[in-house]
Amino acid sequence: MQEQEQPYDSGHAIRTRGLVKSYPGPDGTAVDAVRGLDLDVRRGESYGFLGPNGAGKSTTIALLCALARPTSGHASVAGFDVSAHPHDVRRRVGILFQHGALDPDLTVEQNLRVHARLYGMPRREVRERTAEVLGPAGLTDRRRFPVRALSGGTRRRLEIARQLLHSPSVLFLDEPTTGLDPHARAGIWDHLRALRERDGSTLFVTTHYLEEAEHCDRIGIIDGGRLVAEGTPYELKAAIGDDRVVLRTSDDGRARKVVAAAAPPDRTVTVDGEGTWLRVPDGSAWIPRLCAALEAHGIAVHAASATPPSLDDVFFHHTGRSMGAAR
Ligand code: ADP
Ligand code: MG
């Protein structure tokens, strides 16, 4: 049975229920890329979809943009069911693909015109929208430049501008910062934040850079095609609770035993390249206690820090792996 269309003013830009996508695998078995996703993204929200390579992020975007058909389950985007009304969905979304799709030999303006023609936009509207999207991208005076003359970060801003040309209800960005240097990455996020604040754009952004997901209103963590955690960056980190206390000492091997004896009984104390570390609530309060215990055993403490949970800790907590190892 087909799900009824959601009216777009229901407040949801994206809604999925039990969304599944299986691909035929190389040896005849199915590859389950997406295994039953329930997502609700509100209008005007910036939603970060976070997960390692192969987690199912690009497949989810393809389903939500009606570029691939779900194996089962439902998804509606901008009020239209992706299976029943794929054309309506496609007209209302903008997609920034993981691997750019600009023609390097055409100028900035020509690339926009190609896009406008694909979407059948009337000429006057194209003129107006071109000015409107190039301004915020800082590209107005470069509109006659060939794309190949632009830096990586500037090209990415142009791709975003192009996807905004037809005034989509939802903008999907698949790893928009991958391959850029840190400065350009920060510039893209500033640009996205401005879009959201100025135009109230709904953004669905995938990334495998944990620290970048902090810029989003809400984050979903996907692993193996399943949503393993969801919430604001603050909520996700607060749910982990414990701070990480790291001590660098004159003898980390002995320090481990002393710290384990002084800490609450159920704590794992680890020694690695960073030093001796453990997780405890209210970490900074533990530092003087642990230092006193170490010094009583003749072990000097060279440095001590207490850090609240990071999104990497959140990922580890929910998957048992670190993002670095999963990649
Ligand atoms: P991500 O974007 O998070 O890196 P993808 O959605 O690209 O993940 O891939 C999820 C899983 O689905 C991976 O195991 C990938 O190999 C598989 N997959 C993706 N696209 C196809 C396809 N067209 N045919 C077969 N398997 C695919
Ligand atoms: Mg991908």
Side-chain angles (χ1 to χ4, degrees), residues 89-106:
V89 170
R90 280 180 221 136
R91 261 212 309 274
R92 285 168 179 80
V93 298
I95 323 159
L96 196 77
F97 289 107
Q98 196 164 348
H99 306 289
L102 294 167
D103 186 328
D105 293 327
L106 298 184

Side-chain angles (χ1 to χ4, degrees), residues 97-264:
F97 289 107
Q98 196 164 348
H99 306 289
L102 294 167
D103 186 328
D105 293 327
L106 298 184
T107 66
V108 165
E109 225 165 32
Q110 286 167 337
N111 267 285
L112 294 183
R113 250 179 259 143
V114 169
H115 183 86
R117 216 165 296 149
L118 280 173
Y119 281 79
M121 292 171 66
R123 202 169 288 181
R124 222 195 58 217
E125 190 186 332
V126 177
R127 258 201 313 275
E128 277 170 25
R129 285 297 294 157
T130 297
E132 282 168 18
V133 299
L134 287 184
L139 282 165
T140 304
D141 51 4
R142 277 180 271 186
R143 60 188 186 279
R144 304 227 155 76
F145 281 34
V147 163
R148 66 167 73 260
L150 307 176
S151 71
T154 310
R155 281 187 203 196
R156 219 56 71 93
R157 286 206 309 279
L158 170 58
E159 292 202 58
I160 294 170
R162 185 174 66 154
Q163 290 303 328
L164 292 171
L165 198 65
H166 60 287
S167 310
S169 300
V170 187
L171 180 59
F172 290 87
L173 302 109
D174 198 2
E175 309 213 13
T177 57
T178 296
L180 298 181
D181 64 61
H183 180 73
R185 279 163 55 185
I188 294 297
W189 281 102
D190 285 345
H191 186 53
L192 293 178
R193 206 164 17 234
L195 281 180
R196 188 181 146 273
E197 275 158 25
R198 197 188 49 240
D199 305 337
S201 309
T202 307
L203 305 175
F204 187 95
V205 190
T206 75
T207 179
H208 64 249
Y209 294 119
L210 286 153
E211 69 280 10
E212 293 194 343
E214 308 251 7
H215 297 289
C216 300
D217 296 329
R218 225 150 42 94
I219 296 170
I221 297 180
I222 182 174
D223 189 37
R226 286 199 181 86
L227 201 63
V228 294
E230 193 181 48
T232 65
Y234 176 82
E235 284 165 355
L236 288 175
K237 288 185 284 186
I240 306 283
D242 296 348
D243 297 335
R244 185 169 131 99
V245 174
V246 184
L247 301 149
R248 279 201 287 120
T249 71
S250 56
D251 184 346
D252 283 340
R254 280 175 60 223
R256 179 185 175 158
K257 293 194 189 78
V258 176
V259 169

Side-chain angles (χ1 to χ4, degrees), residues 23-25 31-33 51-60 98 174-175 222:
Y23 292 111
V31 177
D32 298 324
N53 280 334
K57 303 182 297 296
S58 297
T59 301
T60 303
Q98 196 164 348
D174 198 2
E175 309 213 13
I222 182 174

